[in-house]
Amino acid sequence: MSTPGNNRRHWELWISVLPFALLLVLFLIGPMVLTPLLTFQETKLYQLRWTWSFDTWSTVLSNPTYSAVLLRTVWTALLSTIVCVVVAYPVAYALNTRLAAWSNQVQILIIFAFLTDAVLKTFGWVLFLDVHGVGNWLLQKLGFGPGATNILFTPKAAMLGIVYNLAPYPIFTIYLSLARIDPDLKHAAYDAGASKLRTFLQITLPLSLPGAIAGALLVFVLSLGTFLESKVLGGGTKPLASELIRQTFETRVNWPLGAALTFSLVLVALAALLGLVMIGSRLRIGAAGRETS
Amino acid sequence: MKNAVLEVDAVSKDYGGFRALSRVSLTIDDGEFIALVGPSGCGKTSLLKILAGFEFPTEGRVRIQDRDMAGISPAERPTRMVFQKLALFPHKTVEENIRFPLRIEGVPEDEQIRRVRTMFEMMHLKPEYRHRYPARLSGGEQQRVALARALVSYPRVLLLDEPMSALDAKLKKSLQAELKRIHREVGTTFVLVTHDLEEAMMLADRICVMVAGKIEQIGLPSEIYRTPATRFVAGFIGETNFLPVSVKAEGDGAVIAPLCGRGDPTKLAAGQIAPTIGGERADLLIRPEDVRIAAEAPTSGGWHVEGELTEKFTKGSSTQYRLRVSGLDRDFIAESTGFDTGHIEIGQKVIACFDRACFYVVEGAS
């Protein structure tokens, strides 16, 4: 049933979403459609030629360098996701319990972590990890021997940078989901005789899983696209997909190849994401009951 | 005489500089249903938390079944709590919720199943709810699940922290009746915290009225209603009339005469005078249902006030009349059973009579 008032509201709605919808179509959906189309074209003398062939794809699929980079990227993303969540959980938990009285200040601090540019923070790590840097000096004084932080310009340092830059996301999501848990649930578990560990494992942890999963998804998606950390801290010997794609587009001016690599990365990432989501939904099957009330 | 299951001995509780409880003493009998009643901030919830073991008294002692509870955690006490917001585990099914305490206790599997079934029957929960999540149940059903989870491990004392405050009036009434039945069936000691004296009257064997961290009065519901220890207790339930009177001590009792309205001086026995009365002025407590509306003043010196009818409400089973009486700053209220017969109009002068048989005086308003 459409009354005149209803119709007008429809128009208002359409007009108000139009600018954003245009942006979305032009700069997101458009490129997403163009990317797979581009993969079937060729370049000659740095010129894109609109032909239809599978040459680019056969290069991508036959050259092991490309698949190695893609796999390494997904592996790095998975690993940094796990490390990030493992690092973030105790931090978020402590912020909720030990520092509960300071929750406003703590939230501002977490937001502050996002205000400082990642480039600056990443270069900061170079100074810290350098053989003559603060970190090395400190570890030597503590008796770890010379060259204790001899990881600069290795994938380990890149991982350190990724975790450092992305950990605030899961800290925030886990913090929020922990804060939403009614403290009486813990009391009810204690009242029923449960130990602190059991209460944590059976009540707090399952109820905070949505936050952990949301944080994990954020870290995973973001770390798939990182290039800064591996370039600055990882020494650039083992590039990640985004760096390779950037080079292919910019330096080699091979758009079809760049598009094919992008498309492959998106596919692999989607598959991994789907896997994560499935694990997640299995874990929180119990929590599903909460959403309907 | 029954045995005391729970003894609270001069318990005080300070939060920073705030004294939530000051030297509260209370003995609760085995199997009794006692209600802790008072306005918010009176310390009733603090006392309950101390009984549960979530908090410890600053001074004084709590004994449960003759065992000192100092330093004993909630888990080690023979008490279980029903929380205000129920605190059902949202990620566990109804059955898992109820079984949770038994699993922790390590009760054998078949015994767990048997007890859960007993609880389902006692709480009138449908068997198909077993695998539902609490959020899928109605407020009343969630209430029963919370009760089942608290009672499934057969506690000696069940502590209830305003578990019905969030329910609508009709559901509340039916659950109150349920709670009474469940108490009779399990025979466990119930300690109910509520701010609703009417609810306490309906449910409890004994009522403990608390104000500002102190116990104002402990007694049977009828004692709380008919012979309140203080003006606060008198005025805590429903709407009540206070009529200023002069008091003159005579023997064990006193003689009172109306300072507002009319009536012959009347001799009251000691039991008709609240212990807090001092001086020569007091307030006569007149419950609205003890007042009779009449067209003419009684002849034999009977007590009455004269006023102008300002409002009348039909409450279904009864009708309430509100009178403006000169000398009283609040409306004088009369309540009679049945519907209003329509013979008194608003604005009309009427007489409100009350019988000497139920006279009781409390201290005047300060």
Side-chain angles (χ1 to χ4, degrees), chain A residues 182-195 198-199 201-204 206-207 285-293, chain B residues 52 54 74-77 79-92 100-105 133-136 149:
Chain A
D182 179 3
D184 272 349
L185 294 179
K186 267 201 232 176
H187 293 147
Y190 294 150
D191 192 51
S195 63
R198 194 149 183 179
T199 303
L201 290 177
Q202 294 213 358
I203 310 300
T204 313
L207 288 177
I285 253 171
R290 287 187 311 159
E291 275 122 42
T292 50
S293 65
Chain B
F54 291 122
E76 294 166 283
R77 297 184 181 210
T79 57
R80 283 285 179 272
M81 179 118 156
V82 177
F83 291 83
Q84 184 165 19
K85 283 177 280 168
L86 305 183
L88 294 173
F89 305 129
H91 60 301
K92 292 181 183 292
F100 184 78
L102 300 177
R103 287 217 168 110
I104 282 165
E105 245 180 85
Y133 289 98
R136 292 273 186 80
R149 185 181 66 183

Side-chain angles (χ1 to χ4, degrees), chain A residues 129-206:
Chain A
L129 292 175
D130 191 84
V131 187
H132 303 293
V134 182
N136 215 15
W137 173 81
L138 202 69
L139 286 175
Q140 273 180 30
K141 290 284 174 201
L142 290 171
F144 281 89
T149 60
N150 209 358
I151 57 165
L152 190 58
F153 307 131
T154 67
K156 277 183 195 163
M159 178 70 74
L160 183 69
I162 292 173
V163 169
Y164 175 77
N165 280 331
L166 297 182
Y169 292 95
I171 290 179
F172 206 51
T173 56
I174 297 169
Y175 175 82
L176 288 179
S177 76
L178 281 171
R180 277 183 50 200
I181 300 174
D182 179 3
D184 272 349
L185 294 179
K186 267 201 232 176
H187 293 147
Y190 294 150
D191 192 51
S195 63
K196 287 205 158 175
L197 180 67
R198 194 149 183 179
T199 303
F200 175 75
L201 290 177
Q202 294 213 358
I203 310 300
T204 313
L205 185 62

Side-chain angles (χ1 to χ4, degrees), chain B residues 52-288:
Chain B
F54 291 122
E55 300 201 0
F56 291 96
T58 315
E59 287 159 33
R61 263 209 299 243
V62 173
R63 268 193 303 278
I64 300 177
Q65 293 184 290
D66 290 324
R67 194 156 71 100
D68 192 356
M69 286 292 130
I72 307 282
S73 74
E76 294 166 283
R77 297 184 181 210
T79 57
R80 283 285 179 272
M81 179 118 156
V82 177
F83 291 83
Q84 184 165 19
K85 283 177 280 168
L86 305 183
L88 294 173
F89 305 129
H91 60 301
K92 292 181 183 292
T93 61
V94 168
E95 187 184 3
E96 286 168 343
N97 263 282
I98 299 175
R99 272 174 87 161
F100 184 78
L102 300 177
R103 287 217 168 110
I104 282 165
E105 245 180 85
V107 173
E109 187 82 7
D110 51 339
E111 169 73 5
Q112 285 186 18
I113 292 167
R114 200 186 60 77
R115 282 213 223 168
V116 169
R117 198 179 299 136
T118 315
M119 279 300 144
F120 263 77
E121 280 162 18
M122 182 185 286
M123 300 301 160
H124 297 323
L125 284 165
K126 293 185 191 141
E128 65 260 35
Y129 287 175
R130 274 175 54 197
H131 303 298
R132 282 201 196 167
Y133 289 98
R136 292 273 186 80
L137 304 185
S138 72
E141 288 158 352
Q142 291 181 12
Q143 199 84 47
R144 291 153 202 252
V145 176
L147 268 173
R149 185 181 66 183
L151 285 170
V152 77
S153 47
Y154 300 152
R156 289 303 297 271
V157 181
L158 184 74
L159 307 168
L160 301 121
D161 184 13
E162 301 210 39
M164 283 178 286
S165 57
L167 300 175
D168 64 83
K170 202 176 168 190
L171 191 57
K172 207 172 180 172
K173 281 272 178 289
S174 78
L175 268 161
Q176 283 165 342
E178 287 281 277
L179 198 62
K180 189 106 179 164
R181 172 184 64 82
I182 290 160
H183 174 250
R184 231 185 351 257
E185 281 180 29
V186 295
T188 301
T189 309
F190 278 32
V191 182
L192 171 76
V193 157
T194 176
H195 61 269
D196 182 358
L197 186 54
E198 231 163 307
E199 177 175 288
M201 294 255 173
M202 196 176 154
L203 295 174
D205 302 323
R206 260 194 326 152
I207 292 172
C208 170
V209 182
M210 296 179 67
V211 182
K214 290 190 179 121
I215 292 179
E216 199 92 340
Q217 186 175 8
I218 307 176
L220 302 173
S222 58
E223 289 169 352
I224 301 285
Y225 193 69
R226 280 295 164 198
T227 57
T230 63
R231 183 189 177 88
F232 177 84
V233 177
F236 197 52
I237 188 168
E239 284 181 301
T240 291
N241 302 306
F242 293 106
L243 194 72
V245 292
S246 65
V247 186
K248 196 182 276 173
E250 198 184 287
D252 270 354
V255 173
I256 58 163
L259 294 172
C260 175
R262 284 172 216 285
D264 289 345
T266 303
K267 172 93 198 306
L268 295 185
Q272 288 176 287
I273 303 162
T276 43
I277 287 179
E280 300 188 330
R281 288 172 67 107
D283 273 353
L284 181 62
L285 166 68
I286 305 158
R287 300 283 181 198

